[in-house]
Amino acid sequence: MEDNYTLILVDVPMIEERNDKDWYGTIPLGIIVTDKMIFTVCLEDTQVLTRFMEGRVRNFFTYMKTRFILQILYRNSSMYLRYLRIIDKKSEQVEEKLHFSPRNQELIELLELEKSLVYFTTSLRSNEAVLEKLIKLESIKKYPEDTELLEDVIIENTQAIEMANIYSGILQSMMDAFASVISNNLNDVMKILSVITIVMSIPTIIFSAYGMNLAPSGMPFSSTIWGFLIVILVSIAASIIAALFLSKKKYF
């Protein structure tokens, strides 16, 4: 507050498009109040003010400056709640995809949603400090209707904070759970590949021994015409025994 104007600075939610998908963030909105006029300053067009410009807000009058400011803040908190519900629905859709096939793309989407929730939580807490300071202003206390509206704004903002915290916790738990699932799947694949390597190494060792340049008289089954078939059967039998042993130990 200065001598002839008051500056109210809050964070408003926004949608930004990246890789043909909508993600959520926040940008600051400045409300400058003078004796005769109200200025709103924002880096981008925001849907918080769209309904006012379209005349779709009831009991909206620019000459009622305090009520107008509180209506903007109420609309801002409502937008947070709306975007939080959209984020929750998106996370449920991604979760359904992950149940069928955990991929990096879905995990990246969850990470983006988690980042949006972090932005929302931080901005909502900053807005909460602004609202607490507003309730101490004498200009608002003069009008009981405005005081009630400010209390509604505070309740709406508090509800948005709680929803953001709940969704953030659920999303973090979901990411940790699927990260564990992916890690377990990888461990299972590596275990199966290790078992296959062990089973297949037995015939390799036997055939490698017979492939060495040694005298035929010193090699088992070299004197019979069924020697090659016997060696193959012995290798298969040894592999089956090894596979049964590993299966009994529940390695796969």
Side-chain angles (χ1 to χ4, degrees):
M1 298 183 63
E2 295 294 339
D3 295 336
N4 55 357
Y5 73 90
T6 301
L7 171 63
I8 302 172
L9 190 62
V10 293
D11 289 330
V12 297
M14 59 167 292
I15 299 177
E16 53 182 349
E17 185 176 343
R18 295 196 304 270
N19 299 325
D20 298 328
K21 291 188 177 181
D22 291 338
W23 304 109
Y24 301 90
T26 58
I27 53 175
L29 169 66
I31 305 173
I32 304 171
V33 186
T34 65
D35 293 336
K36 296 182 179 181
M37 302 188 69
I38 295 178
F39 301 89
T40 57
V41 183
C42 190
L43 295 174
E44 300 180 10
D45 290 335
T46 171
Q47 294 188 16
V48 174
L49 301 176
T50 302
R51 293 177 67 89
F52 294 95
M53 292 185 290
E54 295 174 351
R56 298 169 60 187
V57 179
R58 293 184 299 174
N59 300 323
F60 160 54
F61 306 101
T62 54
Y63 62 85
M64 301 176 66
K65 293 186 292 185
T66 303
R67 174 168 286 271
F68 177 36
I69 293 169
L70 295 178
Q71 286 174 326
I72 292 176
L73 297 178
Y74 187 84
R75 170 66 178 165
N76 184 37
S77 299
S78 299
M79 288 297 300
Y80 273 109
L81 290 172
R82 177 186 172 190
Y83 286 160
L84 284 169
R85 294 187 184 97
I86 294 175
I87 289 175
D88 184 48
K89 290 181 180 179
K90 282 191 173 184
S91 64
E92 290 178 356
Q93 293 173 358
V94 176
E95 182 183 3
E96 290 178 0
K97 294 180 183 178
L98 283 170
H99 278 300
F100 293 102
S101 175
R103 297 182 302 175
N104 290 338
Q105 180 180 353
E106 281 75 20
L107 292 176
I108 291 173
E109 289 184 17
L110 288 179
L111 182 61
E112 288 286 350
L113 294 175
E114 173 67 19
K115 188 163 62 174
S116 298
L117 289 174
V118 171
Y119 290 149
F120 277 17
T121 303
T122 305
S123 297
L124 285 167
R125 293 196 181 280
S126 300
N127 293 350
E128 185 180 32
V130 174
L131 295 174
E132 290 176 355
K133 193 168 184 179
L134 280 177
I135 203 170
K136 299 176 183 178
L137 294 180
E138 293 298 329
S139 59
I140 294 179
K141 292 182 179 180
K142 291 180 182 178
Y143 306 100
E145 298 83 0
D146 294 340
T147 304
E148 292 177 3
L149 180 56
L150 178 57
E151 291 175 353
D152 292 340
V153 175
I154 293 174
I155 292 172
E156 200 84 354
N157 191 80
T158 303
Q159 184 180 358
I161 293 175
E162 293 176 354
M163 285 181 63
N165 289 331
I166 292 172
Y167 292 159
S168 182
I170 293 174
L171 207 56
Q172 186 62 46
S173 300
M174 190 189 308
M175 291 180 64
D176 293 341
F178 280 109
S180 299
V181 170
I182 292 173
S183 179
N184 288 336
N185 291 341
L186 179 61
N187 290 336
D188 290 339
V189 171
M190 295 303 297
K191 186 164 60 175
I192 292 173
L193 291 176
S194 299
V195 170
I196 293 174
T197 302
I198 293 172
V199 172
M200 295 301 296
S201 65
I202 296 175
T204 303
I205 294 173
I206 296 175
F207 289 126
S208 297
Y210 273 88
M212 303 175 79
N213 294 323
L214 298 175
S217 58
M219 302 298 295
F221 312 114
S222 60
S223 58
T224 174
I225 58 173
W226 302 103
F228 182 69
L229 180 60
I230 293 173
V231 171
I232 292 177
L233 293 177
V234 169
S235 301
I236 294 175
S239 297
I240 293 174
I241 292 172
L244 291 174
F245 175 78
L246 294 174
S247 176
K248 188 177 182 179
K249 293 294 183 179
K250 296 182 179 179
Y251 284 104
F252 67 92

